[in-house]
Amino acid sequence: MERIIFGDNQFFAVNHISDEKSRAQSIKFKDDSAIIKTLDIAIASGINTFMCTTHDRIANICEIIRQDPEKYQDFKIYPCMPYAHKYANAVTELGIAGTLKQYVPGNFVSSLFKGGMAYVSKDFISIMELMVDAEMKMFKGINTPVIFLQNVITDLLLGLGMNEFLIGFANYVRQKYNAEPGFITMNLPKLLDVLEKGGITNPIICTSINKVNFRMSGGKEIYEKTLREGRCRVIAMQVLGGGAIPASEALEYVSNLPNIESILFGASSKQNIENTVETIKYHDQKNKERLITRYNEYEDQYASPVSAVN
Amino acid sequence: MVKIALIGAGKMGLSHLSILGAHPNVEIVGVCDTSKMVVQVLERYSGYKCFSDYQKMVEETHPDAVFVSVPTKYHYPMVKELLKRRINVFTEKPFCLNPEESIELAQLAKAAGVINQVGYHNKFVGTFREVKRLVKAGAIGEITHFQGEAYGPVVVKKKSETWRSDPTEGGGCLMDYASHVIDLINDIIAPIESCKGSILKSIYSKNVDDSVYALVGIESGVSGVISVNWSDETYRKMSTSVTIIGTEGKIESDANELKVYFKGDKFPKGYSKGWNVKYVTDLTDEVAFYLRGEEYSAQIDYFIKSVTGENSHDINTFDSAWKTDKSISLIKKQSSYV
Ligand SMILES: NC(=O)c1ccc[n+]([C@@H]2O[C@H](COP(=O)([O-])OP(=O)(O)OC[C@H]3O[C@@H](n4cnc5c(N)ncnc54)[C@H](O)[C@@H]3O)[C@@H](O)[C@H]2O)c1
C-alpha cells in the first residue's frame, strides 16, 4: 500500500466536529466535476490511492475514471462497503427482510423465504457474498487491490460475535476479487484478536490513530502497544482527532509511530492536500535520517577495526 | 457478570446487543424477537439463546436486567410485566404512548426498587452535558428564551407503511423524533409545562405528523420554541441542537460543537469573554467499545454500573421520561385546537 491514501469524507459532508463545515462541503462538492478536480490535485501531489465508500455518487466518479484510462493508469480505488445509511434507511422503511429482498440481486432471497430457510447458516453467508457483488458492480474495470468492510458493520458484527461473517468476507474478497480484505474499525485490539483467531494473519486494518485518544476504544496505550507488536498492516485514519489538534502536531505524532503502513486523510483545498503530503514526507525523511545516523553510530562504535582491537 | 436479556432485536436492539456483547461485565442470557429470520441469524451466528415469547424467556433465563427495544406501543405492557417480576429495566424512548402509562410505570419501578433507564442517549453526549453544566451553574445568567431543534431525512417521500406511520404504535415525528429534543430541553433547563400553540404537520405521511412547531413554556414562565422536521433531506443524518439565551450570554450547541458567548467579564474556568467554541472531542470520555457514537456505549455502561450499584443512577430515569411524555402530550393536545 502507498504511504499516503486519499479519503472521501469531505466529498459527502461527513465532518465529525461541525455541521456547518459539512454543509459548506456539500455545497462545494455538489457536482461530480468538483470531486474529480480535487482527486486530480491529490494525484498531482503524488497520491494514487483513493479510499471511498460505495456511495451512489462514486459510481459516477468511476465512470469518469474508466473513460480516461491513460490519465488514471496508476490510479487505485480501495472500496469501503457498504454505504450504511442506504441500508439503515431501507430497514426503517422495509424491515430487515424487505431490505434483503430489495438489495440482494436476483430472486435468491424470495426463494429463500419460500423455501423455509432450511439451510439458513450457509445461505446467510451466500447473501453476504451477493451483497458484496452488488456493491462491487460500480468498480468494474477499475483497479481495487484492497476491499474494505466499513466500521459500522465490522464493529456491529464484532460486538455481536458474528465472527464468521468477518472471516467469510475476507475469504470471499480474496477468492472472487483477487484482492486483499481490509477492515475499518474503532476497536483495533479487539478486532485483531478475532481475526487472528479466525486464521487471518497480518490483516489490513484501517483505524483511528491520533494524539488525543479520539475514537481509540480502550485508550491510546493499548493501541500503541498493539502497533509495537506489528501484528497487522495499519492504515491510520482520523489522525487529526476530528480536528481537535493542529495538523502539523497531529501528523508528527502519527508519522513517528511504529508499524503504520499508510496514513489516510481527506481535504478539499489544494493547499491542505499539498501541506499534508509534504508534512508526512518531511517526517518520514527525518525518521529515515535518524535511522541512518543511528546505524552509523552503531557502526562507529562496534564495527570499526579500532574498537574491535581494543 | 450482569445477566442481560433483550426484547426486540431490530435496528436499535441490534445496536444494543452489539455494545452489550462487547461489555466485559455483561452476559447475554437471552434474546426475544417475533421475526423468525432475526432469531435464526442470532442463534446461528451469535450463539444466543433465542425466544419468540418474552415471558418465557424471562422465566427460563432469570436475567438481572432486560433491555426493551420493541416498537413503542409494546413498551408499557412489557415493562409493566418485567417490573412485576422486579427486574431492572432499560427501555427505548419514547417511554410510553401517553403520560398516564408512564407515571404508572415510574411508580411501579420505585415501589419495586429496581434500576430503570430510558434510551435518551443525547444526555450522554459531551456537548449537551457541558451545556447542562453551564446552565445549572448560571453561567449565562437568567434564561430568557430557548430553542430546541432537530432535522433529518427519515421520511423524504411517500413510503410504504411501517409501525412508524401508525399513530397508535408510537409513530410520527413528535413521538419518535421531537421527543429527543423535548427531553433534552426538559433536562437542561426545566420540564416544558405549557404549550401556547403548536402545529403538527404531515408532509409525506398519510396518518402521522412529519414536522412539529410549538411555542412552549416552563414553570418559571420562560418561553421557548420547538422546531422539528424529519422530512428534511438536506441533513445527512439526524441533527439535534439547542439555543439558550440568557441575560449574561448565549449558548448554541449541537452534538458536535458547542458555542458559548459571554457578554461580560464573568465566565467559568476554561472560557473567556465573547465567543468560545468547544468540540465534542474535547468533552467526551473514551469508551471501551465504540459502535456508532460514544453516547450509545456510555448509556449502556451507565446502566450496567447502576445495576451493580456503582453510580447514583439518576440519568434518564422513568421519572424523567414520564415528564417528557407529559410535555409531548401537551404539545399534541394543543395542536388539535388549531
Ligand atoms: N434512541 C434512539 O435514538 C432510537 C432510535 C431508533 C429507535 N428507537 C426506539 O427503539 C424502539 C424500536 O425501534 P427500532 O427502530 O429498533 O424498530 P424496528 O422495527 O427496527 O425493531 C423492532 C423489533 O422488535 C421486534 N418485535 C416487534 N414486536 C415484538 C414482540 N411482541 N416481541 C418481541 N419482538 C418484537 C420486531 O421483530 C423488530 O425486530 C422504538 O421504541 C423506537 O422509538 C430509539
Side-chain angles (χ1 to χ4, degrees):
Chain A
M1 295 188 291
E2 289 181 67
R3 175 65 170 162
I4 307 175
I5 297 173
F6 199 62
D8 73 339
N9 272 354
Q10 70 282 358
F11 298 145
F12 304 118
V14 182
N15 187 299
H16 297 289
I17 54 165
S18 162
D19 282 357
E20 240 164 76
K21 279 192 194 132
S22 297
R23 174 74 51 90
Q25 286 169 344
S26 59
I27 293 168
K28 175 163 182 180
F29 292 109
K30 179 171 172 283
D31 294 321
D32 297 334
S33 60
I35 296 181
I36 286 290
K37 214 172 123 194
T38 307
L39 278 182
D40 287 348
I41 293 171
I43 293 172
S45 43
I47 308 174
N48 263 312
T49 308
F50 177 43
M51 188 157 157
C52 63
T53 318
T54 51
H55 192 286
D56 284 345
R57 284 187 64 197
I58 291 294
N60 308 346
I61 302 302
C62 289
E63 192 48 45
I64 296 172
I65 288 168
R66 266 191 296 267
Q67 280 168 10
D68 205 339
E70 221 164 284
K71 180 172 169 192
Y72 295 106
Q73 195 182 0
D74 300 322
F75 194 66
K76 294 181 268 306
I77 290 186
Y78 291 176
C80 309
M81 60 182 62
Y83 177 59
H85 282 288
K86 180 170 81 183
Y87 293 103
N89 292 342
V91 173
T92 307
E93 190 177 344
L94 309 165
I96 294 176
T99 301
L100 288 178
K101 274 184 202 157
Q102 169 132 343
Y103 284 106
V104 178
N107 45 22
F108 185 84
V109 175
S110 320
S111 52
L112 187 69
F113 284 113
K114 274 187 217 128
M117 296 196 290
Y119 303 102
V120 77
S121 68
K122 193 177 159 296
D123 287 337
F124 275 94
I125 298 286
S126 317
I127 288 183
M128 179 198 70
E129 292 175 350
L130 288 169
M131 290 176 98
V132 170
D133 291 344
E135 298 275 313
M136 281 304 290
K137 249 196 196 136
M138 67 173 84
F139 300 104
K140 204 162 188 244
I142 287 175
N143 188 9
T144 56
V146 188
I147 299 170
F148 282 89
L149 199 60
Q150 281 287 10
N151 59 290
V152 185
I153 299 301
T154 305
D155 291 333
L156 181 73
L157 295 170
L158 186 64
L160 290 171
M162 295 189 172
N163 307 346
E164 267 176 73
F165 283 104
L166 296 171
I167 309 300
F169 172 79
N171 292 339
Y172 188 63
V173 158
R174 280 216 177 97
Q175 211 183 76
K176 170 91 188 257
Y177 294 95
N178 198 19
E180 269 294 307
F183 297 89
I184 310 180
T185 183
M186 302 293 181
N187 305 286
L188 166 68
K190 194 177 166 67
L191 175 70
L192 183 54
D193 286 346
V194 164
L195 293 180
E196 284 177 344
K197 255 182 222 140
I200 301 180
T201 50
N202 205 22
I204 296 177
I205 299 182
C206 176
T207 192
S208 265
I209 308 259
N210 52 67
K211 206 177 168 176
V212 289
N213 235 346
F214 176 60
R215 306 268 152 93
M216 298 166 79
S217 308
K220 211 163 84 174
E221 287 68 35
I222 177 160
Y223 270 61
E224 288 178 354
K225 177 173 170 279
T226 308
L227 286 175
R228 278 195 303 275
E229 291 165 349
R231 293 149 56 203
C232 51
R233 302 171 62 190
V234 172
I235 301 176
M237 66 169 179
Q238 296 184 325
V239 295
L240 302 184
I245 11 170
S248 59
E249 194 183 326
L251 291 171
E252 181 176 1
Y253 170 77
V254 181
S255 306
N256 287 316
L257 286 173
N259 295 320
I260 289 185
E261 190 166 326
S262 308
I263 296 171
L264 170 69
F265 85 100
S268 22
S269 74
K270 185 165 189 257
Q271 200 194 352
N272 280 347
I273 294 172
E274 289 173 352
N275 273 347
T276 306
V277 172
E278 268 162 38
T279 312
I280 295 172
K281 280 192 179 150
Y282 168 79
H283 288 296
D284 284 352
Q285 183 60 32
K286 242 175 58 179
N287 280 335
K288 211 188 268 167
E289 283 164 13
R290 214 175 291 149
L291 270 182
I292 292 173
T293 320
R294 217 174 287 158
Y295 179 75
N296 288 343
E297 281 168 9
Y298 174 89
E299 287 254 288
D300 288 348
Q301 217 172 327
Y302 299 105
S304 81
V306 182
S307 54
V309 171
N310 286 347
Chain B
M1 285 293 218
V2 178
K3 291 201 285 178
I4 301 280
L6 179 137
I7 315 170
K11 273 198 314 187
M12 209 57 212
L14 285 175
S15 158
H16 289 326
L17 272 179
S18 177
I19 295 169
L20 286 164
H23 197 288
N25 202 21
V26 166
E27 181 192 351
I28 295 166
V29 295
V31 176
C32 168
D33 202 292
T34 42
S35 153
K36 266 213 179 86
M37 188 182 69
V38 167
V39 158
Q40 273 176 322
V41 172
L42 286 173
E43 270 179 343
R44 169 64 183 82
Y45 294 99
S46 295
Y48 299 143
K49 199 157 191 283
C50 292
F51 299 83
S52 55
D53 175 344
Y54 78 98
Q55 306 213 21
K56 196 167 157 227
M57 171 175 79
V58 168
E59 269 153 33
E60 280 186 26
T61 62
H62 306 288
D64 299 316
V66 172
F67 275 63
V68 178
S69 43
V70 283
T72 307
K73 75 162 173 184
Y74 299 114
H75 294 181
Y76 169 74
M78 289 184 179
V79 172
K80 190 169 170 179
E81 188 60 40
L82 295 167
L83 291 176
K84 267 202 228 153
R85 299 166 191 250
R86 294 179 183 268
I87 295 173
N88 302 302
V89 178
F90 179 108
T91 181
E92 259 315 321
K93 49 55 56 180
F95 189 18
C96 296
L97 292 177
N98 58 61
E100 292 74 36
E101 291 177 351
S102 320
I103 188 146
E104 186 189 336
L105 295 186
Q107 284 166 351
L108 273 176
K110 209 170 282 170
V114 298
I115 300 298
N116 50 94
Q117 191 174 321
V118 179
Y120 283 113
H121 53 83
N122 281 312
K123 290 202 195 104
F124 291 86
V125 171
T127 48
F128 293 135
R129 266 196 339 222
E130 179 68 359
V131 172
K132 181 174 175 180
R133 196 184 69 84
L134 291 171
V135 167
K136 297 291 176 205
I140 56 165
E142 220 172 283
I143 292 169
T144 58
H145 186 73
F146 60 85
Q147 186 155 334
E149 297 167 87
Y151 307 106
V154 180
V155 181
V156 291
K157 56 177 198 281
K158 287 210 164 66
K159 280 193 176 183
S160 52
E161 308 282 292
T162 68
W163 68 264
R164 283 195 158 75
S165 42
D166 186 340
T168 63
E169 298 205 14
C173 177
L174 174 62
M175 290 285 279
D176 199 25
Y177 220 57
S179 52
H180 282 290
V181 196
I182 294 166
D183 183 77
L184 203 53
I185 294 284
N186 281 5
D187 185 53
I188 292 173
I189 304 172
I192 289 168
E193 290 194 343
S194 66
C195 179
K196 297 173 180 71
S198 69
I199 301 168
L200 302 193
K201 239 186 202 160
S202 299
I203 302 168
Y204 302 104
S205 300
K206 260 194 268 154
N207 302 314
V208 295
D209 47 293
D210 293 319
S211 62
V212 180
Y213 306 102
L215 187 59
V216 295
I218 58 172
E219 196 188 4
S220 66
V222 171
S223 63
V225 169
I226 300 289
S227 170
V228 179
N229 180 356
W230 76 3
S231 299
D232 186 343
E233 70 170 29
T234 65
Y235 289 81
R236 192 176 62 94
K237 55 180 189 175
M238 183 179 196
S239 164
T240 303
S241 66
V242 294
T243 303
I244 303 168
I245 302 168
T247 50
E248 303 298 324
K250 175 175 161 179
I251 297 174
E252 283 179 26
S253 179
D254 57 31
N256 300 318
E257 196 178 21
L258 163 68
K259 290 180 258 178
V260 195
Y261 181 88
F262 290 109
K263 276 186 181 172
D265 292 320
K266 255 183 45 196
F267 38 77
K269 207 174 144 235
Y271 289 88
S272 57
K273 187 173 166 172
W275 279 110
N276 298 259
V277 182
K278 298 212 171 191
Y279 296 111
V280 68
T281 47
D282 306 325
L283 301 165
T284 304
D285 298 326
E286 105 216 1
V287 294
F289 179 79
Y290 180 98
L291 178 62
R292 50 186 296 224
E294 283 81 4
E295 62 273 24
Y296 294 96
S297 304
Q299 69 171 354
I300 286 182
D301 189 54
Y302 186 83
F303 178 75
I304 300 301
K305 291 209 165 97
S306 299
V307 171
T308 53
E310 293 169 71
N311 62 31
S312 56
H313 173 246
D314 46 13
I315 305 178
N316 282 338
T317 58
F318 282 6
D319 212 52
S320 77
W322 158 59
K323 286 177 186 142
T324 298
D325 281 350
K326 255 199 333 193
S327 307
I328 291 173
S329 128
L330 275 174
I331 293 171
K332 193 186 291 170
K333 235 178 243 149
Q334 185 64 37
S335 76
S336 61
Y337 301 138
V338 179

